[in-house]
């Protein structure tokens, strides 16, 4: 299966957004940014159609790894809330591993644990 990754937006925070197409059907979208210290971060990946074998997700990961290499900003990083088990499992199954944890406290005093993953 071939997917078209169509860049559609740059925003003020440096995030670059894409739409994923399969033929004439939108199948997902994703975004990334390159930090000031030249680190490549996946901001989000959304798959809009059933993807039981993660083909679309894997195609997006492959594309983002290519973009990181072309930008000389390897490796690829992503931040995932530890309770987002569904997305965490998808990243781990696609070659990412945990390298650190950030703990933040929200306005209500609740701790949030954010895992930082990177690709192999």
């Amino acid at each position: 299966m071939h997917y078209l990754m169509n860049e559609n937006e740059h925003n003020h925070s440096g995030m670059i957004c894409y739409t994923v197409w399969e033929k004439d059907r939108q199948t997902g979208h994703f975004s990334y940014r390159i930090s000031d210290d030249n680190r490549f971060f996946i901001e989000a990946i959304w798959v809009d159609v059933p993807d039981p074998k993660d083909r679309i997700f894997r195609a997006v990961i492959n594309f983002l790894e290519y973009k990181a290499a072309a930008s000389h900003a390897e490796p690829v990083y992503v931040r995932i809330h530890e309770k987002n088990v569904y997305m965490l499992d998808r990243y781990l199954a696609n070659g990412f591993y945990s390298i650190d944890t950030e703990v933040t406290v929200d306005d209500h005093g609740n701790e949030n644990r954010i895992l930082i993953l990177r690709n192999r």
Side-chain angles (χ1 to χ4, degrees):
M1 191 66 58
H2 296 283
Y3 302 98
L4 172 66
M5 312 295 178
N6 183 34
E7 185 175 338
N8 56 16
E9 180 183 344
H10 287 254
N11 70 23
H12 65 280
S13 67
M15 194 164 34
I16 302 168
C17 304
Y18 279 78
T19 303
V20 182
W21 296 90
E22 179 186 355
K23 298 183 181 174
D24 60 349
R25 180 176 73 147
Q26 180 177 328
T27 57
H29 50 282
F30 61 92
S31 58
Y32 72 90
R33 68 179 172 80
I34 300 174
S35 66
D36 292 339
D37 61 349
N38 206 41
R39 295 195 313 164
F40 193 101
F41 283 92
I42 298 171
E43 292 293 323
I45 298 175
W46 296 276
V47 176
D48 301 333
V49 296
D51 189 25
K53 295 186 179 181
D54 267 352
R55 290 182 179 143
I56 299 167
F57 187 84
R58 183 70 219 156
V60 169
I61 293 293
N62 287 339
F63 179 79
L64 289 168
E65 289 172 340
Y66 160 78
K67 292 297 278 187
S71 301
H72 304 289
E74 294 177 283
V76 175
Y77 297 92
V78 64
R79 289 182 171 96
I80 299 287
H81 193 284
E82 72 176 357
K83 292 183 180 178
N84 190 347
V85 176
Y86 176 72
M87 288 304 292
L88 180 59
D89 286 348
R90 290 176 92 181
Y91 280 105
L92 294 174
N94 282 283
F96 283 74
Y97 62 98
S98 179
I99 61 168
D100 202 359
T101 302
E102 293 177 348
V103 179
T104 61
V105 179
D106 66 20
D107 295 339
H108 303 285
N110 301 313
E111 274 193 4
N112 293 298
R113 300 177 63 77
I114 308 299
L115 302 176
I116 301 173
L117 310 178
R118 69 167 275 183
N119 66 333
R120 299 191 189 275

